[in-house]
């Protein structure tokens, strides 16, 4: 039962949006197979919990929001019992809560907008992850997710940052989350992107594109989890040789 953690050292990077979009897409894919998603809302802002209280939350998503430094490990363990996917939305600061959650992660997703300031903050999170890996003596898989990118053009800064991450050996999602009004709308009206009502053809096209983007994101996450689990299995086998 993989634990996917969304981490950033600053607010406004898009953690909660990325977490919610992924949760809804995984829930949509798993609905007919009776597969659910657990979300641990460990962000004091509780924006994700507010979304969950509105109409339209998929029935196969369960929210855990009574989270603190003292109980987050217990909450994650409990969340694992309810669904095969556990998503954790963390606060945007360094804390023991963040450290404890990272220690449980099978994959850490680091949302990053196409700006140098966001990239610098992402590097701080990566250092924190690597320190955690040393502490628990286990590699923690992570990747940077470019977020809120323009649908029309790829910016010069975005290209530069992607190249800088790559040259530094930092893994980056092939898929990016595009800036879409639909992703903002679900926090106003509730539900998932696929459930939004379109008033005209243009809005429907926007919803369709956002849903396609969410699907690509979820598929890449699943591929990364699969590769990570296979790598962990090989490491365990090698350790017993």
């Amino acid at each position: 039962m993989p634990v996917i953690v969304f981490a950033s050292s600053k607010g406004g990077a898009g953690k909660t949006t990325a977490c919610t979009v992924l949760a809804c897409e995984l829930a949509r894919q798993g609905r007919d197979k009776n597969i659910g998603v657990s979300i641990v809302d460990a962000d004091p802002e509780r924006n994700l919990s507010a979304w969950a209280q509105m109409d339209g939350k998929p029935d196969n998503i369960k929210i855990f929001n009574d989270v603190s430094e003292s109980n987050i490990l217990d909450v994650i363990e409990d969340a694992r019992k309810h669904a095969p996917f556990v998503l954790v939305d963390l606060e945007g600061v360094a804390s023991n809560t963040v450290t404890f959650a990272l220690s449980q992660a099978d994959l850490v997703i680091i949302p990053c907008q196409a700006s140098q300031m966001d990239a610098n903050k992402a590097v701080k999170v990566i250092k924190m992850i690597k320190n955690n890996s040393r502490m628990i003596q286990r590699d923690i898989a992570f990747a940077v997710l470019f977020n809120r990118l323009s649908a029309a053009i790829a910016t010069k800064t975005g290209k530069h940052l992607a190249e800088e991450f790559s040259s530094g050996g930092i893994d980056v999602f092939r898929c990016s989350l595009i800036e879409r009004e639909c992703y903002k709308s679900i926090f106003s009206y509730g539900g998932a992107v696929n459930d939004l009502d379109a008033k005209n053809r243009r809005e429907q096209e926007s919803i369709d594109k956002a849903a396609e983007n969410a699907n690509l994101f979820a598929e890449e996450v699943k591929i990364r989890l699969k590769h990570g689990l296979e790598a962990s299995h090989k490491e365990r086998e090698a350790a017993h040789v």
Side-chain angles (χ1 to χ4, degrees):
M1 296 183 183
V3 175
I4 306 164
V5 172
F6 290 79
S8 172
S9 63
K10 65 181 286 292
K15 286 186 299 80
T16 300
T17 298
C19 183
T20 308
V21 168
L22 178 60
C24 287
E25 179 58 21
L26 291 174
R28 184 191 69 80
Q29 295 179 10
R31 186 178 297 126
D32 294 337
K33 302 174 184 177
N34 198 29
I35 295 175
V37 179
S38 291
I39 303 178
V40 176
D41 186 2
D43 187 341
E45 296 294 328
R46 296 291 189 263
N47 290 322
L48 205 156
S49 295
W51 163 81
Q53 291 174 0
M54 292 185 283
D55 291 337
K57 178 183 74 65
D59 293 336
N60 55 339
I61 290 180
K62 183 175 178 60
I63 307 294
F64 297 79
N65 55 16
D66 185 14
V67 183
S68 65
E69 174 186 315
S70 63
N71 73 357
I72 187 162
L73 294 177
D74 294 329
V75 173
I76 291 175
E77 184 177 345
D78 189 25
R80 278 175 158 156
K81 298 174 184 177
H82 287 82
F85 291 102
V86 178
L87 278 57
V88 184
D89 185 24
L90 293 174
E91 57 187 328
V93 297
S95 68
N96 285 337
T97 301
V98 172
T99 297
F100 295 155
L102 291 176
S103 73
Q104 302 300 298
D106 295 289
L107 174 65
V108 181
I109 297 176
I110 308 167
C112 177
Q113 296 188 60
S115 76
Q116 189 62 55
M117 287 189 295
D118 267 46
N120 293 342
K121 296 293 185 181
V123 170
K124 288 185 178 181
V125 175
I126 291 167
K127 290 180 179 178
M128 189 189 313
I129 294 169
K130 290 183 175 180
N131 285 336
N132 264 33
S133 293
R134 292 174 64 187
M135 183 172 60
I136 65 176
Q137 297 183 334
R138 174 180 71 85
D139 286 340
I140 302 172
F142 64 86
V144 172
L145 172 72
F146 279 111
N147 192 30
R148 295 176 177 168
L149 295 190
S150 168
I153 57 172
T155 66
K156 182 178 180 180
T157 302
K159 291 179 179 178
H160 169 71
L161 293 176
E163 291 171 357
E164 286 293 302
F165 280 137
S166 179
S167 64
I170 296 173
D171 201 6
V172 178
F173 270 82
R174 294 188 301 276
C175 169
S176 302
L177 278 188
I178 305 302
E179 178 73 24
R180 298 282 183 193
E181 183 63 30
C182 298
Y183 294 148
K184 300 176 184 178
S185 295
I186 61 175
F187 291 97
S188 296
Y189 305 111
V193 168
N194 303 72
D195 302 324
L196 292 172
D197 292 326
K199 295 181 176 62
N200 52 54
R201 182 177 178 180
R202 184 176 180 180
E203 284 191 5
Q204 186 59 56
E205 289 177 350
S206 179
I207 291 171
D208 291 343
K209 288 178 180 178
E212 181 182 3
N213 190 196
N215 178 257
L216 289 172
F217 177 33
E219 291 305 312
E220 184 168 354
V221 167
K222 289 192 291 185
I223 289 171
R224 288 178 176 276
L225 287 171
K226 180 181 178 182
H227 289 170
L229 291 172
E230 288 174 349
S232 296
H233 179 67
K234 290 179 180 178
E235 286 179 4
R236 287 195 298 270
E237 286 186 334
H240 288 86
V241 173

